[in-house]
Amino acid sequence: MITNTALWKSLRGMAKALFAVQHSLFTIHCSLFTSVALIALSACGDFLEEVSQDEFEPKTTSSFQELMNGEGYINNPVDPITYMMDDDVQGCKGSLWDEALRARQSIFEWQPDYWQVEDACTGIYATVKYSYRNIYKTIAACNIIIENVPASEGTQQQKDIVMAEAKTMRAFYYWQLVNTYALPYNDALTSPEENLGVPIVTESEVKDAGAPRATVAEVYRQISSDIDDACRLFGDDKTNRGVYRVGYTAAHLLASRIYLFMEQWDKVIDHADKALEAAPALANLKNYNIDSATNPTNGVISKKFPETIFICGMKVKSGTFGLMGTPYGVSRELANSYETMDRRMNVYLVPSGYDYYPYRIQKICSDEHEFTWRTAELYLNRAEAYMNLYKQGNSDAGQRAMDDLNLLRQNRYRVYTPQALTNADDLQLQLRSERRKELCFEGFRFFDLKRYGMPSIEHVLIGESGQTSVYVLQERDPAYCVPLPDNALEHNTNLVQNPLAKKRESTN
């Protein structure tokens, strides 16, 4: 930490402003903003006291837009672990075992101490180990913008846009956090009003005490408030400002996702409809080819994919984000779910030609991004909302769900005959299967399993010596709620840890 007053005064003379960034639950963070750069510095409370609020710069809305572009959009991993915890990944005879992959094994086995194992591993980057902290640091930048933009010098339209971007991203970060570390909002056996969520930090004021965990319901109220505000602020402005910034379409897409998890079906449909007004068309995979088998640039998670609405984050999966050559790979259950005419096999996943490692992930590209928001999700969100209305007795909604499902499949299959609507239970099975096949390895599957009731799943591990071990995540297992990282608990004594699973043993 920087506590030297002379150093601070020197830095202050070089920069236009100091931005006090919220405690981030276990560290106090400052940023020095100039017209060309933002320098992140750690700082103690007494360091911050020397500058009063009226000395803060910048004053222009355009400067806050630069802050949003530089610090409000996260450039670290958002979710570095749950892809190793769902049923789309399975053990294989990987040719590579190193320190980092051995540490990842504890996540693959759903062990309660995997944060300690990762923290002790020198082969895992700090950006992966400290994803919890990094998200809160980025939230802090959004908080500064949201607090200060209304009084900045700029047009109302400029203020509305940067405010909408900050609120969209803050809603996303809290959605990510609460779905990682808490029970799902729709859990049938508990109440979101009582279940612990994550701390809510919405102010940039530095406080000595860390924030306690809010309830899941409180977190979702904050999330829905932010995304509603963002959609209102974007208004009818459908300007495309590029795939690295959120806009009208991305905000409404995120709103459809949030309300899907809250099971507010009419709102899902309304926001999906609005997003589809400006979203790119579904990519027709019949003639779509990945440009490189080993280092693609036009896969799903890239700016080149035709459906991309927004792209962000840093890729984190082992083996160049494709798990290739590691002891972890694509599950055969997922791979076998694609039918013969389904082009997603060879565009999303591809047979490797090796028995020991049968499939490669083709979605991940060379331009280092972690996730995209894209058009296909809108059709899946809307179809699921219609399906649930169908279950409630609305027959027209059932056909609308089937229409969305058929449209998606028509753009995914070489040859496809539209399917007729059957009963609601069958439609639900089809939609869940389609969602899994379409969105695999994009950060959805573990969260979807949680909201589906937290079913039991298995992981088969093939160890370094070739031995096979089977690990079971039981139905409603405590490991469905990721433990809070130890370094967060150490620096914020107000945090309460999730119930931990017992040390897990293989079943064979």
Side-chain angles (χ1 to χ4, degrees), residues 99-168:
E99 182 189 13
L101 291 169
R102 293 186 191 97
R104 299 258 96 182
Q105 180 181 338
S106 63
I107 296 174
F108 185 78
E109 295 174 0
W110 305 291
Q111 299 294 358
D113 63 344
Y114 54 73
W115 283 124
Q116 294 98 307
V117 174
E118 285 219 337
D119 194 51
C121 178
T122 59
I124 296 177
Y125 294 124
T127 53
V128 174
K129 295 179 183 180
Y130 303 136
S131 59
Y132 178 90
R133 177 193 67 181
N134 291 336
I135 292 177
Y136 273 104
K137 285 168 58 178
T138 311
I139 287 171
C142 294
N143 291 343
I144 293 169
I145 293 164
I146 291 166
E147 283 187 4
N148 292 282
V149 161
S152 65
E153 298 171 2
T155 67
Q156 190 59 51
Q157 182 185 31
Q158 289 174 323
K159 294 177 184 179
D160 288 348
I161 294 302
V162 68
M163 181 75 82
E165 289 183 53
K167 289 206 167 191
T168 299

Side-chain angles (χ1 to χ4, degrees), residues 337-373:
S337 69
Y338 295 95
E339 297 176 285
T340 302
M341 291 292 175
D342 195 333
R343 278 283 294 156
R344 286 173 293 197
M345 180 58 71
N346 292 313
V347 175
Y348 296 3
L349 310 174
V350 63
S352 69
Y354 301 101
D355 290 338
Y356 72 92
Y357 200 94
Y359 298 97
R360 267 199 320 267
I361 302 171
Q362 288 282 75
K363 283 187 169 185
I364 316 308
C365 294
S366 59
D367 53 359
E368 299 289 329
H369 296 295
E370 182 179 5
F371 61 84
T372 64
W373 301 356

Side-chain angles (χ1 to χ4, degrees), residues 290-308:
I290 298 297
D291 57 14
S292 170
T294 57
N295 197 32
T297 68
N298 67 336
V300 172
I301 303 179
S302 76
K303 60 182 177 291
K304 292 183 180 181
F305 193 67
E307 292 179 17
T308 299

Side-chain angles (χ1 to χ4, degrees), residues 390 421-428:
Y390 181 43
L421 176 65
T422 56
N423 59 67
D425 289 340
D426 177 66
L427 180 57
Q428 182 180 66

